[in-house]
């Protein structure tokens, strides 16, 4: 779970990277970083924390130059330390480069071991650093050729932007797991994980970087190469369900509309006799609207989200029931009391949060509670870039739907089917849905899959 | 614009005050403070900033004792400095007390001048300090009697909580401008500006403090006195329109339902031929839903709010169109493009923000834009506790509705009438609507009304 | 123990106050503050900590204006909190003023009680605030007249500087306990506790403010008044022994020379058979030199002071012998081993530090250790502005010289006599030596003298 | 200019490293760092700033384990950034190690270029990192063997301590440029640049690490190897003149006594007709005492040092004469006025500071000023670990003694001869005196010697 941004040829490169990262903040709140290039001088700022806090004006002013790349991170691989905050920047025999990476390499461990035996010193625990050492070991002086050489050796999911003295390079792995888009602003070229970054800076969306494509933006223009053999597409379907912002266009479609269609499909597959449809804010909003429209059951904003949630919150010693949920959500009792409620959310991971929400809504006076989830049960961890809890912690990996229903205390529980989800995103092919199907399109080295963590959804 | 909280007789008094303030954060984000009392020792923490940030665990642990009061502040009277952050705490001849105040005294200037001439030294520029000096000048040793004596001398709007060694006192001015509620938790008594604070800490809502009532919570029990002559009620109608949280019960009603009724009234008074109803998040949500239901025009979440807005944001030098709005809102183009849009919001103050939103929605492809506001035009500043811009800056004070429509660039513009608003809140009496009617129920000393600021709405 | 500074009529008033305080840092390291006046606007900065740390450039730049006063504090009266950091600044009926005070009022408690009963609210626990309330209660609009009126009511020790809109006023109590000097720089007038402050800013020392004199510096010139009846001088003799800087002129004399004479008197009164004279740095340096010259025993720098002592220092759990002393001082073994050593210091307070030093020097190989103290035994606390431990903690108040010698482990111990000290400062009259004589020249209200703290010497 | 410390086998290893660094603070104030080892886990803290500030209690508590190394740094090689703060810590094929280095490698640039060409990625601009890459490239799994292998390839000055999972290794280059000592504490072994570090922690000084010796401290005991061919000793004579602490034993001698002998030699070589001898504190103290004793001219503490100098100091816009010196030193006028003064200092680098001191002393009333320097003129930069200004900035490299005398404004100026200095340190052989003789014992790669910086003496 990361967001990346790159821009070449704009006098305010770092400022625009900053804004681009700000628009991509939902993809990672743990750390943020920008590397800019001014002639041959690189400037860098990386911090733990969110974009709007960690780049005060004086820091941004230091990031001079007409090229920049940036990264927001929610740890996928590597631990939570500043040292793992990207972009990573190195000096090697052919000069200086920096890289920002979204995704997860599946053979990083093997390569790292080989490189260390040969005398390489790794500075981080991140899989991304493997790419840099492969580039440094390559005798080719041309950074683009060395990068292609390095990427030929790695497997798995990567959307990356790389900055060198005179160019910004964007690359997407041959399967296209993670998104990456090309934009244009005042004659400069920019790259971003999602189109919402272009909206904020006023850039025009041009097209997606294609799976397996490498796009090189230089001061003189843009080039594209396809150095890898063709491969089947495995775009991440979870980006539609939860991860991407609703105002983004993703893999050629509107995220908002896809979610509304999920809600409509859900209303057909899993109807409910009820008085009102209540979304779990904010990710369940569009699906709830789709459900309401298709079912004819009126929508109500029966759960109110607190907008001032801080990073660390002191819980009183004397336990308050459902405190962790209450600090974020509060029911509007007068809307809910005495009603039969359809509660629409986009996932149940461990089940504990859903259980608290259901209890809270029932205590607010709901007569019946029918939980509807706008995707299939999450049964398998992701190895392609979404941060995940262990499979053992995953309620749907180990329980039937009815067991889950009883655990969360709902009167009924219904999930959207994988076919319904595929209908909603308009295609039965070209997507990775391993987290719903346990069917991994790219093998993962030495993984005891049962022990891996499954995605832990940060509420936004 | 402030929120207050008080609790007497609970072992975790300060922790609960902290949570109560957190739930009242929408009433003031400038500063936060808590004073607790442990036997005869007072403990205090006040900071600029938001609740979740300014009370780290070690600070809360210092705030020992079974009684506490707290305050969140958005400056109404007095400048933005830590010195003006409440609660104010003093030591005087009869001991130590602290006070937290929501509202605005209309004769504070005159009293302050008299007290200073007699040798009093004021520490702040806040009207609230006048109450403390009146208490200190009173020869009565009983804090409750001295407080009543002081309150007899002040006029205007006040909901206050006061903490002394052995009691927490809550008081509401005879007109009841600002809200104040009584709750109960585990045998302790608590007070809060809104009921949402009780929901978070798991307290039971008992009733409102009545206009002119003084409620004294002691370790042995609760007493109530009504020392002032009866007066007509002037409850703030703007609390319903914008200020209170939708999940609160206010003056005996649901805020969410009142807003939905405003939307429904608006749909009847100001109908529009359109394809979709789009709320301006978050304050326009319920009114938009009411409008959609009454009009039959479907709701769409066509404006997406960014949840990661920081306090200080660096704008790029090269101006980005509508940057200030874009940083908070982004249109979901695919929902809006080609549509006739009803845009529902809860106010137009200066008009500049509305103008940016309308332009942004039009650039996203809307065919027609019909702006509907769920209250009457704001034509007059508030002197009873809502922070306000100057009357001269207030677009509706100086322009016709059609002039405003042209300024913001909408195809049509409609406001809810004052009668419609009163119908929506269920009563044509007992409310102060001075900001819509220019009819002030309590006179304001020496005010050049034309120069006063009118409310500047912080988006939440 | 405080230092004060004031300047009127210089375009860089706050910068010079900052430098003046820096030169007076030895008089107080707990807090520092400056108030400047620019036309009618007052600017203020007060912080816990030392001068060179607590006034970064941007803070100093805010302190505009051509007049300023400043204060460094080591708590005498009132607890260690920012609220007690001076200068104190108030707004009252006749405008704004601020005050900085060195000394201790002996009747502050009684006056404070009277003022509180009459309705005054005190903000600090400091005796200095009494002066401000007396000024605010005075109906005279002229600040100078009101200040004289207030000072007539207080007793004890005070050297003060006061800043008002158009003047800086310096005053010294009729007994002249604490020092205060007048200087001149580029046509402006300045005041400081010691002349070393003038040296740093390049000001010329003019003369001392006389006991009982009030000097008023206005933009047009300087005036002097003597509003109080004449009184006998009681200048603090301890300023010569320890407190003032050796490069200052104090009460008309050189501090360095006075200390050398103390050492010479000590060599005559308390001779020793020894090989070397070793000063305890830094305060014992001049006395050791005087002792060495008079006795003919060579000086050696046998104790080395660590210059990097930080404010908070983590002591290892496993106790290191004499750690607290070692962190500040280390013996140069090769100078000391096998020698008979005269150790010259300027005081023994509790005796614990001296004991550690003696043991450390003996462990470094000294054959004999003869401790010589350049003043009489400290037997009584100070109530006139020097911070003091309780009398009970004072080793010389409760033990004979021989008992002290045994406690600290020296082979011999000799103190300078009071007569010898008076000879060294050149006068048998006009000095307060209460800490050595227990003879208090001004009575102290309601003090259980036995319980008062005596000075705790901060090593510099 | 750096200080290093190491300890193996003590339960409070990091605390003792902290204290050891504190005692070595004079060797470097720019950054400080500690790496401890607890079983197989390494803990690390590195910061810009001084020891007493940068290791708060909670940081020290994190540094668990019974082995630790530490470093204080004043940049010699590599720029002033946290990234260059040592110890450097890496993970490589054989595990984790960290290193702290005092000195300067003379062939680091050549080796670095070779390693980068072979694919190594350097993280710092420091010469020390070369040693780590050589270790990582070595296929030997034993860290001790790999370290010897690496040290065989480097040339120049190094005293180092290295920590691995189960041992702390100390090494000193074959010429012994920089000091390194072995101590013993409670059965544990420790290493430090100077013996004053042992004094503070209560450790016993055992002996110096010999030139070319490698000492390995393991939990079971200590071993020593001499893997390099014998080489002539080139111990740094400047350590005696200025750099080491006077209470340290260095290369088998007392620093204090060596400095006193320099002063005595100086008095014989460069006598002066004068009334008083005044040391420039603090480094000139012992030499001044030696001069005074030998010449019979009495010592006076005529220059007072301010002990509260902060790191950043705001200079007033209006220039104060000699401000930079005055902030640190102030003359005691009464001691100096009318006197013929011998001013004893330990070096003149650029001459500007000496010029300010001479002017300041003359303005304080000195009749004549005879400057005496306790070492020869500094004419050449150091390439073995002392931070140096460019040769062009070095006044003695480009001017005669009489020209320097005129520049600083003294009545006479005398330096100690190199022979006199050698007599004072007791040996005409075995010392590097390149900074005085321009005779470099180890060649320096590709250096344009004329452009190198010469030592910039930080006053302590």
């Amino acid at each position: 779970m990361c967001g990346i941004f790159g821009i070449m040829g704009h006098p305010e490169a770092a400022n625009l990277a900053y804004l681009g990262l700000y628009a991509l903040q939902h993809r990672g709140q743990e750390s943020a970083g920008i590397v800019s290039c001014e002639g041959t001088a690189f400037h860098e700022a990386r911090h733990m924390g969110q974009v709007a806090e960690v780049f005060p004006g004086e820091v941004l002013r230091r990031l001079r130059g007409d090229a920049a790349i940036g990264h927001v991170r929610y740890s996928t691989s590597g631990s939570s330390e500043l040292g793992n905050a990207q972009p990573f920047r190195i000096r090697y025999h052919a000069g200086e480069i920096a890289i920002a990476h979204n995704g997860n390499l599946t053979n990083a461990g093997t390569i790292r071991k080989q490189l260390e035996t040969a005398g390489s010193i790794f500075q981080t625990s991140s899989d991304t650093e493997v790419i840099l050492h492969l580039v440094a070991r390559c005798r080719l002086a041309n950074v683009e050729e060395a990068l292609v050489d390095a990427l030929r050796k790695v497997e798995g999911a990567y959307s990356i932007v790389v900055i060198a003295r005179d160019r910004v390079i964007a690359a997407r792995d041959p399967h296209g797991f993670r998104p990456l888009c090309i934009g244009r602003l005042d004659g400069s070229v920019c790259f971003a994980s999602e189109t919402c970054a272009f909206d904020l800076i006023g850039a025009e969306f041009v097209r997606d970087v294609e799976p397996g494509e490498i796009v090189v933006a230089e001061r003189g223009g843009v080039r594209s190469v396809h150095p890898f053999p063709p491969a089947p597409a495995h775009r991440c379907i979870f980006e539609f369900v939860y991860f991407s912002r609703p105002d983004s266009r993703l893999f050629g479609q509107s995220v908002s509309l896809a979610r509304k269609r999920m809600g409509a499909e859900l209303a057909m597959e899993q109807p409910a006799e009820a008085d009102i449809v209540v979304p779990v804010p904010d990710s369940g909003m569009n699906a709830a609207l789709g459900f309401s429209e298709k079912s004819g059951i009126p929508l109500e904003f029966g759960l109110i989200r607190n907008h001032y949630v801080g990073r660390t919150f002191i819980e009183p010693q004397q336990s308050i029931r459902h405190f962790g949920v209450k600090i974020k959500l509060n029911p509007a009792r007068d809307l809910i009391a005495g009603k039969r409620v359809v509660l629409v959310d986009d996932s149940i991971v461990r089940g504990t949060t859903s259980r608290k929400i259901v209890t809270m809504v029932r205590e607010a006076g709901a007569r019946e509670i029918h939980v509807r989830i706008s995707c299939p049960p999450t049964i398998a961890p992701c190895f392609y870039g979404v941060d995940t809890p262990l499979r053992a912690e995953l309620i749907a990996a180990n329980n039937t739907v009815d067991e889950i229903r009883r655990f969360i205390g709902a009167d009924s529980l219904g999930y959207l089917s994988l076919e319904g989800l595929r209908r909603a995103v308009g295609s039965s092919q070209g997507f990775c849905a391993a987290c719903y199907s346990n069917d991994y399109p790219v093998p993962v080295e030495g993984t005891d899959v049962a022990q891996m963590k499954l995605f832990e959804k940060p509420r936004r």
Side-chain angles (χ1 to χ4, degrees), chain A residues 348-351 376-380 391-401 403-404 413 415 435-436 454:
Chain A
I348 299 178
V349 183
R350 291 183 180 80
T378 309
I379 57 170
R391 185 186 292 258
E393 301 173 55
L394 194 60
I395 193 165
N398 304 286
N399 293 277
T400 66
V401 170
E403 286 167 341
I404 300 171
L413 168 63
Y415 285 93
C435 54
Y436 304 129
L454 204 122

Side-chain angles (χ1 to χ4, degrees), chain A residues 29-358:
Chain A
Q29 298 94 49
E30 189 182 273
S31 69
I34 294 174
V35 171
S36 73
C37 186
E38 176 196 22
T40 59
F42 279 63
H43 306 293
E44 168 187 343
R46 296 182 301 150
H47 300 276
M48 302 309 286
Q50 297 188 6
V51 173
E53 301 162 0
V54 300
F55 295 105
E58 68 272 20
V59 169
L60 273 183
R61 275 188 293 278
R62 277 200 301 102
L63 301 174
R64 291 180 303 270
D66 70 343
I69 63 170
H71 189 267
V72 289
R73 176 174 193 264
Y74 187 86
S75 58
T76 321
S77 154
S79 58
S80 284
E81 297 172 9
L82 179 56
N84 279 327
Q86 300 194 11
F88 292 150
R89 170 187 169 198
I90 60 157
R91 175 177 287 285
Y92 72 116
H93 65 81
E96 233 171 327
I97 58 169
I99 188 171
H101 171 208
N102 178 26
N104 203 26
L105 306 182
T106 53
N107 66 338
T110 305
I111 300 179
R112 178 173 177 145
K113 198 154 195 178
Q114 291 164 352
L115 290 168
E116 285 189 334
T117 303
S120 291
I121 298 175
F122 278 72
Q123 294 293 323
T124 74
S125 58
S126 163
D127 60 332
T128 306
E129 194 182 351
V130 161
I131 300 175
L132 292 174
H133 279 279
L134 289 173
V135 167
R137 290 266 174 178
C138 177
R139 296 297 171 107
L140 297 167
N142 182 306
V143 62
E144 182 186 330
E145 292 169 327
L147 181 63
V148 168
D149 190 62
L151 293 179
R152 274 191 223 282
K153 299 191 174 78
V154 301
E155 288 163 14
Y158 56 85
S159 286
I160 59 174
V161 284
V162 170
I163 187 168
R165 191 174 44 77
D166 52 1
R167 66 197 95 171
V168 168
I169 305 171
R172 200 167 159 215
D173 69 71
H175 302 293
F177 280 102
R178 310 250 68 91
L180 189 58
C181 316
I182 311 176
R184 195 182 311 261
L185 173 65
D186 309 335
S188 71
V189 177
C190 45
F191 305 100
S193 293
E194 293 182 35
T195 60
C196 61
F198 297 155
D199 289 344
L200 178 54
I201 63 172
E204 179 197 353
F205 168 56
V206 177
R207 63 166 174 87
D208 286 3
V209 174
E210 291 168 29
E213 182 183 14
I214 293 182
V215 181
V216 183
E218 291 167 304
R219 288 190 180 81
V222 190
R223 282 178 296 114
S224 165
V225 291
H226 287 77
F228 311 118
H234 299 302
R235 295 164 296 170
C236 172
I237 204 163
F238 184 69
E239 292 268 356
F240 274 118
V241 172
Y242 166 72
F243 201 37
S244 289
R245 247 173 65 167
D247 47 339
S248 285
R249 277 196 82 76
L250 184 78
F251 306 143
Q253 293 192 57
S254 156
V255 174
S256 285
L257 286 172
R259 288 187 187 159
K260 278 193 70 178
R261 286 193 301 266
M262 292 174 207
E265 293 283 342
L266 186 59
M268 288 187 291
E269 288 188 1
Q270 302 284 350
E273 287 268 310
D275 303 311
I276 58 174
V277 173
V278 170
V280 177
D282 284 334
S283 45
M285 297 293 271
N286 277 295
L289 188 57
F291 193 105
S292 167
E293 281 183 10
K294 178 60 79 179
S295 66
I297 304 171
L299 187 74
E300 289 287 3
F301 300 119
L303 284 170
I304 305 300
R305 195 182 159 212
N306 190 330
H307 290 113
Y308 299 100
V309 176
R311 233 71 46 74
T312 57
F313 210 89
I314 283 70
E315 181 159 4
Q317 293 153 2
Q318 164 170 334
S319 70
I320 291 179
R321 278 174 66 84
H322 319 312
F323 181 79
V325 163
K326 270 188 181 166
I327 209 72
K328 294 178 189 158
L329 297 175
N330 194 37
R333 290 162 185 277
D334 299 279
L335 300 179
I336 285 174
K339 301 284 170 55
R340 294 172 301 165
V341 175
V342 176
L343 216 51
V344 179
D345 204 350
D346 57 9
S347 60
I348 299 178
V349 183
R350 291 183 180 80
T352 47
T353 297
S354 301
R355 180 183 197 162
K356 287 176 184 170
I357 293 173
V358 168

